[in-house]
């Protein structure tokens, strides 16, 4: 038995208003006045001066606003890297991602691709990255994905939706300032928050579970219950706790794996472009068979916050389209093995998956 040796985020700052320390944090990392910091920022903040005016740019530093309407693509990373390299005199001092999972994943991927040759799609998989990334900082503005701690950056490529999983992927620095999440709309708050909840359920019920993952997973699950089922928290408390739930949920899967909901949600995302958070919710809602307790609680949370999920998103799909989704989903072997054990192929068949998708 050989145990995996995982990297962790080496530096993290936590606290309301800690975003103001960004300037002090990155200043010593500036390589030269010709080596700018590149800030990749969700374009939802474009006219939000309370945030943008606090982004500490100097010399040739640049802010690039990016839409998170669609999930990150390998071609998008290639284009960004090209644009950054063309417009900078020297290799940038660092990449700073400000936004949700989409922007955090883009920041990780761009920081890797600045020092690694060829196209991004060639690095989708496990441990294919050869050179260390440039300095990169993650600043989440919505909580749940765990992308701020994880060792992966999830990208849709021409052939698959798969992360760049590598020791060079995790951020060098993370800033957890829950104030940045204050304006997240309720539905999006729920969908991304449920990503965290589902990470916990899939990790805690999986066959890969171990004491490391369990300790983080149980902590995150308790926080989720408090945030989504109780009324006792102040808004600030709830925002801070969800930020920590996301972190712990991410730490839990670092050393285990996700499961059925993620495997099926990747299929939806690949074919229909369904976003991760809402896709997970749509799938999880139909997974009583695999996660009876988890789904029961999920439905209670959904009811409490008056969330109405889209229905019938697979109703008009052709057999060929369904087959593509099924193929993408079944290709995520570690997820199925974690969820159903070594003999997972006997327990989940294309036919069974088709029936499930058709219910969604
Ligand atoms: P997101 O980044 O796609 O953002 C969702 C929506 O929330 C967007 O419309 C965005 O503009 C908005 N938003 C973000 N912050 C806001 C704020 N403070 N105020 C108002 N609106 C705000 O959402 P997400 O759910 O955080 O991320 C999903 C992505 O994360 C997917 O691409 C998924 O593949 C990826 N992901 C990555 C990992 C990982 O470990 N790397 C894990 C899970 C998910
Ligand atoms: Zn997830």
């Amino acid at each position: 038995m050989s145990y995996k040796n995982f990297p962790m985020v080496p530096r993290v700052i936590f606290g309301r208003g800690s975003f103001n320390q960004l300037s002090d944090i990155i200043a010593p990392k500036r390589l030269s006045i010709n080596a700018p910091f590149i800030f990749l920022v969700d374009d939802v903040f474009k006219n939000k001066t309370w945030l943008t005016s606090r982004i500490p740019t100097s010399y040739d530093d640049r802010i690039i606003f990016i839409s998170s309407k669609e999930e990150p693509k390998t071609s998008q990373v290639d284009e960004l890297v090209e644009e950054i390299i063309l417009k900078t005199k020297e290799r940038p001092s660092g990449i700073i991602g400000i936004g949700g999972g989409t922007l955090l994943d883009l920041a990780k991927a761009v920081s890797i691709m600045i020092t690694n040759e060829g196209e991004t799609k060639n690095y989708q998989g496990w441990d294919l990255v050869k050179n260390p990334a440039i300095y990169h900082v993650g600043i989440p503005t919505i909580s749940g994905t765990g992308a701020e701690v994880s060792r992966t950056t999830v990208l849709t490529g021409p052939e698959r939706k798969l992360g760049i999983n590598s020791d060079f992927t995790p951020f060098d620095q993370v800033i957890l300032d829950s104030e940045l999440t204050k304006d997240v709309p309720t539905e999006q708050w729920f969908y991304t928050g449920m990503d965290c909840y589902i990470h916990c359920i899939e990790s805690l019920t999986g066959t890969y579970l171990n004491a490391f993952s369990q300790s983080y997973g149980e902590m995150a699950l308790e926080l989720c219950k408090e945030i989504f089922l109780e009324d006792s928290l102040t808004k600030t408390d709830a925002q801070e706790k969800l930020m920590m739930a996301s972190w712990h949920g991410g730490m839990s899967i670092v050393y285990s794996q996700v499961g059925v909901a993620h495997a099926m949600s990747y299929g939806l995302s690949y074919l229909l472009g369904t976003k991760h958070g809402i896709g997970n919710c749509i799938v999880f809602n139909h997974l009583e068979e695999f996660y009876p307790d988890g789904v029961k609680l999920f439905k209670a949370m959904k009811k409490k916050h008056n969330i109405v999920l889209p229905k019938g998103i697979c109703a008009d799909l052709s057999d060929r389209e369904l087959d593509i989704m099924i193929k993408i989903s079944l290709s995520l072997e570690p997820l199925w093995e974690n969820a159903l054990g070594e003999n997972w192929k006997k327990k989940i068949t294309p036919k069974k998956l088709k029936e499930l998708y058709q219910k969604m």
Side-chain angles (χ1 to χ4, degrees), residues 145 195 199 258 262 276 280:
T145 65
D195 190 22
H199 291 160
V258 284
H262 277 74
H276 189 77
N280 281 352

Side-chain angles (χ1 to χ4, degrees), residues 6 8 209-218 248 250-256:
F6 283 112
M8 283 171 67
L209 189 65
N210 50 67
F212 184 101
S213 287
Q214 186 175 4
S215 63
Y216 283 107
E218 284 175 351
H248 282 82
M251 285 300 296
S252 180
I253 44 177
V254 154
Y255 224 98
S256 59

Side-chain angles (χ1 to χ4, degrees), residues 4 105-106 109 127 130 161 176 187 198 227 238 349 360:
K4 292 183 206 155
D105 278 357
L106 277 172
D127 302 304
K130 292 179 192 73
K161 180 174 175 188
L176 298 178
E187 290 198 335
I198 295 169
I227 297 157
T349 57
M360 291 169 189

Side-chain angles (χ1 to χ4, degrees), residues 256-277:
S256 59
Q257 206 16 298
V258 284
V260 180
H262 277 74
M264 291 192 70
S265 161
Y266 273 36
L268 289 181
S269 157
Y270 184 84
L271 187 79
L272 305 173
T274 314
K275 294 202 67 178
H276 189 77

